[in-house]
């Protein structure tokens, strides 16, 4: 279904047809479709979504749509929506809303839910506690499979996931049982004879990126979250872990492009904020590049003696920058996936050195042959070949060392990506080039 058809049906007040269409659509697709509507049409269409889908559709909307709907909802509509929203989605909503709407929502929910929401909001922004949900299935080890299944049927509708059940004793997590095990085991078997006791869990203050990495490592659907006393307080589900992965990848990409990250989408971010996020690094890199100009000025005599030297500066700087960017990208990704640590520094350096020898040899020989054919100048070919070799070795070593050193001092390795490394490589490539040129040409 496209926007035009939906708008036409709404204008013709064919609400029954709209409801029947939305009833068979996926919640994510509905949210995407509604994002194309204006305010009045959005509110009307949302009210036609079947009640059992409305909360999930709302959770998949962007913050501007959610804010608009919360502003126009009646108290009854808002209460019905909040009753159906999972707790982690409610907390995510509150983090995006302006203060007056946050107060309105907190006034709408029950005192118990308000206390729970405040508790979740108080967890550090980058912690497991900030992305967990408190709606999980807990059972007792004394239950039989039949009793556990009956408990799931009674309470599961209000839980975010029922695929994994958590066996607790006075809130202490003592085991886990999968829904598959429950459905394929005799009814009279006790949970204590079925549960797994080797449990992988995280603490409320565990970094959420580390939590997301556990999902990729163990293929979890959910992971339990424990407080400092070892009591179970919630679970992080796979969909929330995926959101963290996307968020962290987006943050790394923006930092690697020398842009301060923003939580808003490209179109939601005002022009001035975009500019503000880009200017600081551009200023730093611009003034750093002045060093390159100073070095070039120092070798004016070499230019005067061999004017052709100037023609090869862009090629050397670009090649060095590209080589450094290649190495840094792979190292940063390896650090993010916990495949490379600072302890591997010398192993990485040795590997990149060997790679640079191979890459440098191929590029140096290729350029040397080209220069011999084009300029018939053996000395110039040797200077460019040696400069390329030195630049590539230097660039790849810088590209691997800087991200690892950044991780060692608890800085984001993405800060050491392409723009910064390219600027440093430009400086060193010019020094290498003119040092070799002045030595071989006796300038």
């Amino acid at each position: 279904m496209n926007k035009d058809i939906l708008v036409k049906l709404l204008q013709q007040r064919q609400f029954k047809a709209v409801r029947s269409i939305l009833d068979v659509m996926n919640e994510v697709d509905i949210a995407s479709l509604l994002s194309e509507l204006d305010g009045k049409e959005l509110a009307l269409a949302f009210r036609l979504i079947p009640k059992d889908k409305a909360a999930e559709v709302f959770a998949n909307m962007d913050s501007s749509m959610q804010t608009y709907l919360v502003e126009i909802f009646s108290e009854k509509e808002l209460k019905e929506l909040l009753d159906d929203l999972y707790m982690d989605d409610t907390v995510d909503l509150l983090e995006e809303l302006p203060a007056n709407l946050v107060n309105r929502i907190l006034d709408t929910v029950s005192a118990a839910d308000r206390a729970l929401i405040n508790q979740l909001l108080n967890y550090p922004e980058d912690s497991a506690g900030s992305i967990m949900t408190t709606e999980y299935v807990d059972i007792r080890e004394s239950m039989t499979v039949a009793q556990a299944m009956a408990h799931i049927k009674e309470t599961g509708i209000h839980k975010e996931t029922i695929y994994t059940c958590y066996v607790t004793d006075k809130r202490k997590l003592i085991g886990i049982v999968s829904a598959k095990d429950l459905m394929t085991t005799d009814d009279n078997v006790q949970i204590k004879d079925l549960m797994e006791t080797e449990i992988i869990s995280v603490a409320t203050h565990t970094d959420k990126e580390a939590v997301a990495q556990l999902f990729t490592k163990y293929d979890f659907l959910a992971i339990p979250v424990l407080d400092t006393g070892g009591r179970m307080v919630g679970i992080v589900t796979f969909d929330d872990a995926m959101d963290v992965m996307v968020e962290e990848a987006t943050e790394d990409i923006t930092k690697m492009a020398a842009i301060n990250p923003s939580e808003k989408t490209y179109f939601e971010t005002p022009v001035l904020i975009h500019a503000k996020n880009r200017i600081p690094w551009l200023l730093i890199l611009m003034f750093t590049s002045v060093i390159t100009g100073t070095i070039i000025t120092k070798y004016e005599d070499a230019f005067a003696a061999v004017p052709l030297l100037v023609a090869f500066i862009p090629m050397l700087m670009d090649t060095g920058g590209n080589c450094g960017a290649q190495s840094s990208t792979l190292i940063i990704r390896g650090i993010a996936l916990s495949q490379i640590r600072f302890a591997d520094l010398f192993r990485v350096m040795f590997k990149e050195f060997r790679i640079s020898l191979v890459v440098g040899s191929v590029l140096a020989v290729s350029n040397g042959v080209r220069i011999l054919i084009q300029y018939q100048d053996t000395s110039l070919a040797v200077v460019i070949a040696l400069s390329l070799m030195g630049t590539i070795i230097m660039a790849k070593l810088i590209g691997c060392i800087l991200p690892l050193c950044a991780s060692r001092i608890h800085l984001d390795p993405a800060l050491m990506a392409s723009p910064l490394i390219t600027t440093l490589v430009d400086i060193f490539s010019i020094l290498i080039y003119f040092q070799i040129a002045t030595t071989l040409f006796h300038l």
Side-chain angles (χ1 to χ4, degrees):
M1 185 178 187
N2 60 41
K3 170 192 172 184
D4 294 335
I5 295 174
L6 179 60
V7 171
K8 185 177 180 181
L9 290 174
L10 290 172
Q11 289 174 344
Q12 294 174 351
R13 303 184 69 80
Q14 296 185 34
F15 301 144
K16 188 174 181 180
V18 173
R19 180 184 288 273
S20 63
I21 292 171
L22 296 177
D23 190 31
V24 297
M25 288 181 66
N26 179 275
E27 291 88 344
V28 177
D29 293 332
I30 296 174
S32 178
L33 177 62
L34 265 53
S35 68
E36 301 179 35
L37 304 181
D38 63 27
K40 183 184 252 186
E41 292 166 344
L42 168 62
L44 181 56
F46 187 84
R47 288 184 168 111
L48 294 172
I49 298 172
K51 189 176 182 300
D52 59 337
K53 283 188 173 183
E56 189 65 26
V57 172
F58 185 84
N60 282 283
M61 290 178 169
D62 62 45
S63 59
S64 60
M65 295 168 66
Q66 291 177 334
T67 301
Y68 174 78
L69 290 175
V70 170
E71 284 177 336
I72 65 169
F73 279 162
S74 66
E75 295 300 321
K76 180 182 177 184
E77 287 176 318
L78 187 57
K79 187 174 190 314
E80 288 176 350
L81 176 67
L82 294 172
D83 286 343
D84 290 334
L85 270 181
Y86 293 119
M87 190 58 67
D88 58 333
D89 291 329
T90 303
V91 172
D92 289 342
L93 168 65
L94 292 175
E95 289 176 338
E96 299 293 335
L97 291 178
N100 62 315
L101 296 181
V102 170
N103 291 333
R104 185 184 174 204
I105 287 178
L106 291 177
D107 289 340
T108 303
V109 300
S110 66
D113 284 346
R114 191 181 309 121
L116 188 53
I117 288 170
N118 287 327
Q119 178 186 342
L120 293 175
L121 287 171
N122 283 330
Y123 286 117
E125 184 180 355
D126 293 329
S127 68
S130 69
I131 60 171
M132 73 179 183
T133 179
T134 56
E135 291 144 330
Y136 58 90
V137 177
D138 60 329
I139 55 179
R140 304 289 176 265
E141 64 175 337
S142 58
M143 287 181 174
T144 63
V145 168
Q147 290 172 328
M149 291 294 289
H151 176 69
I152 294 172
K153 289 178 181 179
E154 181 182 350
T155 63
I157 190 66
H158 304 295
K159 308 302 180 183
E160 183 144 346
T161 178
I162 61 170
Y163 300 116
T164 304
C165 303
Y166 301 91
V167 186
T168 59
D169 181 17
K170 296 179 181 178
R171 290 185 59 201
K172 291 273 189 178
L173 180 61
I174 58 176
I176 58 173
V177 179
S178 69
K180 178 182 177 181
D181 289 339
L182 290 174
M183 290 186 287
T184 57
T185 304
D186 290 340
D187 288 347
N188 59 349
V189 174
Q190 283 195 310
I191 296 300
K192 67 180 180 182
D193 298 323
L194 185 62
M195 68 184 187
E196 294 181 23
T197 55
E198 293 184 7
I199 307 167
I200 296 174
S201 62
V202 296
T204 52
H205 285 67
T206 301
D207 187 271
K208 64 182 182 182
E209 188 174 2
V211 177
Q213 289 172 354
L214 290 177
F215 279 84
T216 60
K217 182 177 181 179
Y218 295 105
D219 294 329
F220 285 143
L221 293 175
I223 189 167
V225 182
L226 311 182
D227 64 12
T228 53
R231 294 179 295 272
M232 188 166 178
V233 292
I235 59 172
V236 176
T237 53
F238 181 77
D239 59 321
D240 292 317
M242 284 293 293
D243 289 340
V244 171
M245 293 177 197
V246 171
E247 180 185 319
E248 294 296 333
T250 302
E251 183 178 323
D252 286 346
I253 289 169
T254 53
K255 286 182 178 178
M256 289 172 71
I259 301 172
N260 291 330
S262 171
E263 293 183 359
K264 295 184 177 180
T265 65
Y266 177 85
F267 287 111
E268 287 178 343
T269 305
V271 171
L272 289 178
I273 300 299
H274 271 301
K276 179 184 175 183
N277 289 338
R278 302 181 192 189
I279 287 173
W281 269 108
L282 290 175
L283 282 172
I284 293 170
L285 296 173
M286 182 182 69
F287 286 117
T288 305
S289 66
V290 172
I291 300 173
T292 307
T294 304
I295 295 171
I296 292 175
T297 304
K298 181 182 176 183
Y299 289 97
E300 284 180 343
D301 291 341
F303 293 152
V306 187
L308 195 56
L309 289 174
V310 180
F312 297 100
I313 292 176
M315 182 269 292
L316 282 169
M317 292 170 64
D318 288 346
T319 302
N322 291 335
C323 288
Q326 286 179 337
S327 297
S328 66
T329 299
L330 293 175
I331 300 305
I332 289 167
R333 191 59 183 156
I335 293 171
L337 297 175
S338 298
Q339 298 169 347
I340 301 174
R341 298 168 297 172
F342 182 78
D344 300 316
L345 176 63
F346 292 108
R347 284 180 60 200
V348 172
M349 289 176 62
F350 183 53
K351 187 157 192 169
E352 287 297 316
F353 176 72
R354 287 178 291 160
I355 293 171
S356 66
L357 290 180
V358 177
V359 173
S361 298
V362 172
L363 297 185
V365 170
S366 300
N367 264 287
V369 171
R370 177 183 71 83
I371 292 168
L372 276 175
I373 294 171
Q374 186 174 356
Y375 299 104
Q376 303 293 315
D377 189 331
T378 304
S379 297
L380 182 62
V382 171
V383 167
I384 299 304
L386 290 176
S387 298
L388 262 176
M389 180 66 79
T391 295
I392 290 169
I393 292 172
M394 173 271 302
K396 289 197 171 292
L397 290 177
I398 288 177
C400 70
I401 291 171
L402 286 185
L404 284 167
C405 289
S407 68
R408 178 65 173 179
I409 59 176
H410 306 295
L411 288 178
D412 192 331
L415 290 171
M416 303 298 164
S418 299
L420 179 58
I421 286 176
T422 299
T423 303
L424 292 176
V425 168
D426 286 349
I427 295 170
F428 287 110
S429 63
I430 292 297
L431 284 172
I432 291 171
Y433 179 38
F434 284 113
Q435 192 61 46
I436 292 174
T438 53
T439 301
L440 292 185
F441 284 128
H442 305 291
L443 299 175

